Amino acid sequence: MARVTATAAGARTQEQLRQRNLSEVLRRVHKEGAVSRAALSRRMGLNRSTIMDLTAELAAAGLVREGLPGSRGRAGRPSIVVVPEQERLYGLAFDVAVDRLLAARVGLGGRVLDRREAVRARAGVDLEDVVGVLAAFGRELVAEAAPGSVCVGVGASYCGLIRRADGTVRYGPHLGWVDQAFGAELAAGLGLGLPVEVGNEAHLGAVAEHVRGAGRDVDNLIYLHGDVGVGGGIIVGGKLLDGDGGYGCELGHMLVNPFDGRPCLCGSRGCLEAEAGEEALLGYAGRTGELVGREGIRTVVALAATGDARARHALDRVGDWLGVGIVNLINLFNPALVVFGGMLRDVYPGAASRVRARVDAHVLPVSRERVRLAVTALGDDTTLAGAAELAFAGLLDNPLDTVAALR
């Protein structure tokens, strides 16, 4: 009996290893878009025959396809290239920002196949309106997908604190959302029989930059996202750091000015978002009440570039406080890269000298040696790309069972 049990345990271990390897192969193909068997063999430390068996299994399941490379750069027998079935397998991605709503059909491999966008009014609790717009967009995207294609998952990004277990927005301070059942309502509106996985926008932005953006080859990075407020996501050792309940890394509520700080919506004063967010920048520039959102931010940045003294002062003040926050984060986490996204993508170039001055003066030399500061490589689609990664997470974790269940 013991021998039979040992044999069964060994078989289970081999099956678990095979499943992990299938997952890793698909994950690499999804990230890179096309990768040769030879490269997979090198990177995974597996022999070529094992890689061939794994890619053949994924191809038979309709997840990838194999073929000769389009061009041969060296003499000798070319290695077969594995590419994702991006037209056949797709995820739906949604992004709810303070002032806009986005929806996209994204193919396996990360390419946006189709998209929709609408303006979102800053009008308070608007769950019904948001779900109505996004669900209609989602149904259109599914209806226009190629015949025979399959939606493998749905992901959504929201600008607030999210309970990942059920996609409830626990707290969305800037429009007053408290315990709103966003994930469940959107899933019902879509009518696909699939759950909607919801994540915090800055957390998903960090994932997107790590997988597809400025941090593709970086395992330790910090992403700062500006909307009305400031949010953040931290990747440590290639994994998202999200805290016990998924509410971690609220970098915008890091205290940077405790003595005479500006009031923050969280009830405190002197938070990073209060000192370096949209309201602070517009206030310093004397533009409060005139402009809001991206238009307001970009107007101040453009004025500063032309020599407007008040706009220049505003960027300098925001840069100083942003620099204080960045100093603390670099000293705490020793990242290789800090990425600025959302409205901070527009702010950072004009405030970079003040941020870097803080870093040079206050970051420990050993942590300052290698760290880079950069704007997002994904532009305004960073959080949407993160939502797409959330949509594909189940498929990448368990490729064969997931795709079989959808047939």
Side-chain angles (χ1 to χ4, degrees):
M1 181 67 69
R3 183 176 301 170
V4 172
T5 302
T7 301
R12 283 196 300 272
T13 299
Q14 287 299 314
E15 176 59 19
Q16 291 168 352
L17 179 60
R18 184 182 70 88
Q19 293 290 350
R20 283 198 297 271
N21 286 336
L22 285 167
S23 174
E24 181 62 18
V25 168
L26 187 61
R27 197 177 301 277
R28 289 176 181 270
V29 173
H30 171 65
K31 180 177 180 178
E32 298 187 29
V35 58
S36 70
R37 285 182 187 167
L40 288 169
S41 178
R42 289 194 304 272
R43 294 168 192 172
M44 293 179 62
L46 299 174
N47 62 52
R48 291 198 180 192
S49 63
T50 299
I51 291 294
M52 183 176 65
D53 290 343
L54 293 169
T55 58
E57 194 166 0
L58 292 171
L63 292 160
V64 302
R65 64 181 184 276
E66 299 180 288
L68 292 173
S71 61
R72 295 176 59 176
R74 63 177 67 182
R77 184 178 178 182
S79 178
I80 296 295
V81 171
V82 187
V83 298
E85 285 284 8
Q86 59 183 6
E87 297 288 344
R88 181 177 177 274
L89 300 170
Y90 67 88
L92 289 180
F94 300 97
D95 183 21
V96 181
V98 169
D99 56 5
R100 65 175 186 157
L101 303 173
L102 288 174
R105 186 173 73 250
V106 182
L108 183 65
R111 184 163 70 89
V112 174
L113 305 173
D114 197 1
R115 63 187 292 149
R116 302 285 189 277
E117 182 170 351
V119 173
R120 181 191 186 194
R122 299 186 179 190
V125 181
D126 55 350
L127 175 65
E128 185 176 347
D129 292 339
V130 167
V131 167
V133 171
L134 293 183
F137 281 166
R139 292 192 298 268
E140 289 177 12
L141 292 168
V142 170
E144 294 177 13
S149 60
V150 178
C151 179
V152 299
V154 184
S157 164
Y158 187 85
C159 47
L161 297 175
I162 311 300
R163 184 167 64 205
R164 284 289 304 276
D166 59 3
T168 294
V169 178
R170 297 300 311 280
Y171 183 47
H174 296 286
L175 290 174
W177 281 33
V178 177
D179 291 331
Q180 300 290 302
F182 174 51
E185 292 293 329
L186 182 54
L190 290 169
L192 298 175
L194 294 171
V196 175
E197 303 294 335
V198 185
N200 169 270
E201 62 174 355
H203 288 192
L204 295 180
V207 170
E209 286 299 318
H210 174 57
V211 174
R212 307 206 172 276
R216 280 180 64 105
D217 299 317
V218 176
D219 281 341
N220 296 282
L221 68 87
I222 293 172
Y223 173 76
L224 280 174
H225 184 84
D227 207 326
V228 173
V230 175
I234 300 176
I235 302 290
V236 176
K239 303 293 184 182
L240 179 68
L241 183 66
D242 59 1
D244 182 58
Y247 311 129
C249 301
E250 278 295 311
L251 306 186
H253 297 288
M254 175 172 46
L255 188 62
V256 295
N257 186 10
F259 301 112
D260 60 350
R262 296 168 59 94
C264 183
L265 281 178
C266 73
S268 185
R269 301 182 72 92
C271 295
L272 179 62
E273 112 171 6
E275 303 293 345
E278 175 190 310
E279 184 177 335
L281 182 66
L282 296 179
Y284 296 145
R287 297 279 170 168
T288 302
E290 296 179 20
L291 296 168
V292 295
R294 295 170 183 225
E295 181 185 0
I297 296 297
R298 289 169 179 168
T299 296
V300 172
V301 171
L303 286 170
T306 63
D308 182 278
R310 198 162 185 184
R312 182 66 260 167
H313 169 72
L315 270 182
D316 287 346
R317 290 211 48 188
V318 164
D320 278 336
W321 290 120
L322 193 57
V324 171
I326 296 301
V327 164
N328 289 327
L329 292 169
I330 295 174
N331 281 335
L332 277 170
F333 294 101
N334 182 215
L337 177 67
V338 178
V339 183
F340 299 93
M343 70 96 172
L344 292 178
R345 179 171 69 98
D346 299 306
V347 169
Y348 176 69
S353 62
R354 301 298 277 252
V355 175
R356 290 181 181 278
R358 292 283 189 181
V359 170
D360 290 343
H362 302 296
V363 169
L364 295 168
V366 291
S367 295
R368 194 174 64 233
E369 287 174 350
R370 296 177 56 188
V371 66
R372 293 185 294 116
L373 309 182
V375 296
T376 169
L378 300 173
D380 290 335
D381 282 348
T382 305
T383 49
L384 183 70
E389 293 307 309
L390 201 55
F392 287 116
L395 178 71
L396 298 178
D397 285 343
N398 194 350
L400 300 187
D401 288 348
T402 299
V403 77
L406 292 168
R407 286 175 173 161

